[in-house]
Amino acid sequence: KFLKMLDYEPSENMMSLEERVMQEFTHRVPDVQAFFSRLQAIVTQVDQPSYDEITFTNGTTLERHSYPQWLGDEIIGRVWSFRDITDQKIHAKALTESEEKYRNLFDLAPMGLLLLDFDKEHTGVQCNKRMEALFKASERQLLASHTLDWSPEYQPDGMLSKEKFKSFIQRYKAAQIPYTYEWRFQIS
């Protein structure tokens, strides 16, 4: 299974498994010297477990664990385990890129944005710089205050702000999905 992770085709020559694996790693890691230096550090610390990740030139990433193998009070070798974590790395990178795009869209939006936690009825979670500028208040001030503190008594549709806000919360709690709504604020 390990050789399959390396996409290794066995040859007819008589090299030992260890020699074949080392030869394969030599051709597949971008920094051979760093690879062998780390390997040397692991095998010289015979009584210590190790963990690291090995990234190959083709983009494959293996997680490597190594533990001393004991027989009674004597260390007689090392147990190595490898796991292909390439997909996790790809997904983590995609998530990071997505979060960065979201952050840029949110921060650079031309309108003020305020995210609320409806489970806590009014708690601000995040706002952008445009919102701070519109309200002439810091993010800390905006997030610490109740939405109704910044609202007129009535919304443009004639509904009391307090009642309209309650209806938004009830609607969210019933559906349990985020949604967008328009709200009129009163800035002092």
Side-chain angles (χ1 to χ4, degrees):
K1 192 170 183 174
F2 173 68
L3 295 177
K4 187 176 181 181
M5 276 194 285
L6 293 175
D7 194 25
Y8 177 74
E9 291 295 325
S11 64
E12 295 298 320
N13 67 26
M14 299 301 292
M15 279 193 283
S16 71
L17 177 60
E18 183 179 348
E19 289 172 323
R20 286 187 288 174
V21 169
M22 288 302 114
Q23 186 178 33
E24 283 300 310
F25 276 103
T26 301
H27 291 62
R28 294 172 186 242
V29 293
D31 187 343
V32 176
Q33 185 175 352
F35 172 77
F36 280 108
S37 178
R38 175 67 180 133
L39 187 59
Q40 185 63 34
I42 292 170
V43 296
T44 56
Q45 297 173 336
V46 292
D47 61 340
Q48 297 296 311
S50 71
Y51 167 83
D52 60 338
E53 295 175 3
I54 306 164
T55 301
F56 297 100
T57 53
N58 70 355
T60 300
T61 302
L62 298 183
E63 178 181 77
R64 172 174 63 186
H65 293 269
S66 171
Y67 301 92
Q69 183 178 15
W70 296 84
L71 182 61
D73 293 338
E74 184 182 347
I75 295 174
I76 60 169
R78 292 195 78 76
V79 176
W80 300 85
S81 66
F82 295 85
R83 184 171 68 112
D84 187 339
I85 59 170
T86 305
D87 286 345
Q88 291 95 315
K89 289 291 191 178
I90 290 168
H91 294 305
K93 182 180 178 191
L95 179 61
T96 299
E97 289 170 357
S98 176
E99 288 171 345
E100 188 176 308
K101 285 178 189 174
Y102 164 79
R103 167 58 60 198
N104 287 334
L105 285 171
F106 186 84
D107 287 345
L108 303 175
M111 76 279 290
L113 297 174
L114 173 67
L115 298 180
L116 298 174
D117 182 346
F118 280 162
D119 289 329
K120 297 181 181 171
E121 295 192 12
H122 65 83
T123 305
V125 175
Q126 184 179 14
C127 71
N128 65 359
K129 293 292 182 193
R130 182 70 180 130
M131 191 72 163
E132 291 180 57
L134 286 170
F135 281 78
K136 298 178 179 77
S138 70
E139 179 179 41
R140 184 176 177 205
Q141 291 170 311
L142 288 168
L143 300 184
S145 61
H146 192 292
T147 304
L148 294 174
D149 294 341
W150 302 91
S151 304
E153 186 176 359
Y154 292 91
Q155 288 297 305
D157 62 1
M159 192 172 189
L160 280 169
S161 291
K162 185 176 184 177
E163 294 304 315
K164 190 166 189 169
F165 191 73
K166 279 183 186 176
S167 75
F168 283 140
I169 293 169
Q170 290 168 350
R171 185 174 161 199
Y172 166 75
K173 287 183 176 181
Q176 286 296 309
I177 57 170
Y179 66 96
T180 303
Y181 64 90
E182 188 173 335
W183 189 264
R184 175 74 49 96
F185 288 98
Q186 177 178 313
I187 303 171
S188 313

